[in-house]
Amino acid sequence: KIYSAQTIKNPADSDDLLCVWETGKQIPFDVKRIYHIGNVKAGTVRGHHAHKKLEQILLCPYGSIEVALDDGTEVKNCLLDSPDKGLYVGPGVWHTMKWIESGSLLLVMASNFYVEEDYIRNYGKFKEKFPGETS
Ligand code: TYD
């Protein structure tokens, strides 16, 4: 699911864009952690994991990043190419993020602190736990 920021325009500058994300409004969970990944070359693919419980909103405030989401049944792609677009990634979704443009920034708002035990980093184990409808 795609969430949209509240956007505020400054009448004095038609090009600027202020994006607001608030818990309970544009974000469906309490945010406990924010992290961002930058200085990444075009073509780089990161992620390759799923979470057991963590909920996240992925944003690309600058540049463009393509996210692939695999729920065990099908893979869907989502292009984050606008700063007001936030992609919800919940538990049980194997995801990868591909940098389309060098220097694109990935900003993530997460429902919990960093817990390594919440990660599933092996695709075979992911499929065992989340076999999907077709398997
Ligand atoms: P990882 O989530 O695997 O990055 P990506 O999915 O973008 O490739 O994280 C990379 C490393 O950073 C890994 O060793 C875990 C560590 N890390 C933290 O210590 N805290 C954090 O909040 C995050 C997101 C990662």
Side-chain angles (χ1 to χ4, degrees):
K1 180 169 177 187
I2 304 277
Y3 286 83
S4 297
Q6 178 194 3
T7 53
I8 300 169
K9 302 264 315 158
N10 176 358
D13 178 351
S14 60
D15 286 336
D16 73 349
L17 189 62
L18 170 60
C19 296
V20 183
W21 298 90
E22 288 180 294
T23 289
K25 292 186 183 169
Q26 298 82 13
I27 312 169
F29 50 79
D30 285 345
V31 177
K32 281 199 180 161
R33 176 169 53 116
I34 291 174
Y35 60 92
H36 41 86
I37 306 175
N39 209 16
V40 177
K41 291 189 185 72
T44 303
V45 182
R46 298 185 57 123
H48 303 285
H49 59 246
H51 288 283
K52 295 174 190 164
K53 289 189 180 153
L54 190 70
E55 296 180 271
Q56 304 192 101
I57 297 271
L58 276 55
L59 304 177
C60 181
Y62 179 82
S64 63
I65 294 172
E66 188 172 59
V67 184
L69 302 170
D70 176 351
D71 64 2
T73 301
E74 56 173 347
V75 181
K76 283 186 183 158
N77 290 306
C78 176
L79 184 64
L80 296 178
D81 57 354
S82 172
D84 61 344
K85 226 193 242 185
L87 176 65
Y88 176 83
V89 181
V93 177
W94 186 267
H95 52 284
T96 57
M97 299 83 76
K98 181 178 180 185
W99 264 252
I100 304 300
E101 291 168 48
S102 292
S104 300
L105 190 66
L106 179 71
L107 181 109
V108 182
M109 302 184 285
S111 65
N112 202 5
F113 305 116
Y114 175 75
V115 178
E116 180 55 35
E117 296 68 44
D118 188 72
Y119 279 72
I120 305 168
R121 295 190 183 274
N122 178 291
Y123 191 75
K125 291 204 175 113
F126 163 71
K127 287 292 278 183
E128 273 170 34
K129 206 168 157 61
F130 301 96
E133 286 167 18
T134 51
S135 314

